[in-house]
Amino acid sequence: MESKTTFSVLTENHEGTTGDDWRYWVEVKVFNQGLQGQGTITVAKHKLPGGVTQQPPGPPAPVEISAGDCNNPLKIKLTLEATQVDLFKNDVGLTDIDLCLDAPKPGEDARVYDKEISVAVVESPVITGDTSILTLKVRLLVFCA
């Protein structure tokens, strides 16, 4: 049977002093004996004060992705690009992480995986060395269709 994955961004947080105007995108790729599907959630420029955890504006709609055979483990690749928007030069950070998840067997309940992905964004030019860390809490809901 075919499994599916629903991917969503639950919260965002920024720790640091580089600024509070942010935008980002996070992409998910699902592998199960090869690439089965992918999707991207994009969050437009918005205010995210340092030290605050909040729901992203919107919030952005979750994306549903085909995940292949329920009997095989899933490899998930998350890629996050965050931009701290400045008047003269934007500061950008990029990171990715790999996850290995099990799909439920036919007739089992969906499995919920809450994960965090963080990226460092360094103020440019690097005179002060200010760095901020943008952290997203994301949810992957895996179910056998």
Side-chain angles (χ1 to χ4, degrees), residues 63-90:
V63 294
E64 188 173 292
I65 303 156
S66 177
D69 189 342
C70 291
N71 295 309
N72 300 324
L74 306 178
K75 179 181 174 190
I76 309 289
K77 181 175 209 65
L78 297 177
T79 303
L80 170 61
E81 181 181 281
T83 302
Q84 192 280 310
V85 182
D86 276 332
L87 184 58
F88 298 110
K89 184 175 185 312
N90 294 339

Side-chain angles (χ1 to χ4, degrees), residues 15-84:
E15 296 292 336
T17 58
T18 60
D20 61 0
D21 290 320
W22 290 86
R23 71 174 184 244
Y24 57 85
W25 57 262
V26 59
E27 177 185 65
V28 60
K29 290 184 178 178
V30 180
F31 297 88
N32 178 341
Q33 297 183 339
L35 179 65
Q36 295 297 313
Q38 64 188 50
T40 303
I41 293 177
T42 301
V43 177
K45 179 184 166 188
H46 65 287
K47 293 287 186 195
L48 177 57
V52 172
T53 298
Q54 64 186 29
Q55 189 176 48
V63 294
E64 188 173 292
I65 303 156
S66 177
D69 189 342
C70 291
N71 295 309
N72 300 324
L74 306 178
K75 179 181 174 190
I76 309 289
K77 181 175 209 65
L78 297 177
T79 303
L80 170 61
E81 181 181 281
T83 302
Q84 192 280 310

Side-chain angles (χ1 to χ4, degrees), residues 77-128:
K77 181 175 209 65
L78 297 177
T79 303
L80 170 61
E81 181 181 281
T83 302
Q84 192 280 310
V85 182
D86 276 332
L87 184 58
F88 298 110
K89 184 175 185 312
N90 294 339
D91 305 310
V92 180
L94 180 70
T95 192
D96 58 53
I97 61 172
D98 294 328
L99 306 169
C100 291
L101 308 177
D102 289 322
K105 303 297 180 223
E108 291 181 345
D109 291 339
R111 296 195 181 161
V112 177
Y113 298 94
D114 289 345
K115 302 292 181 180
E116 287 188 350
I117 182 170
S118 298
V119 64
V121 177
V122 179
E123 185 78 30
S124 181
V126 186
I127 296 170
T128 62

Side-chain angles (χ1 to χ4, degrees), residues 125-145:
V126 186
I127 296 170
T128 62
D130 288 344
T131 301
S132 285
I133 306 294
L134 179 80
T135 301
L136 302 181
K137 183 175 181 183
V138 299
R139 175 167 287 164
L140 295 143
L141 176 69
V142 182
F143 57 97
C144 197

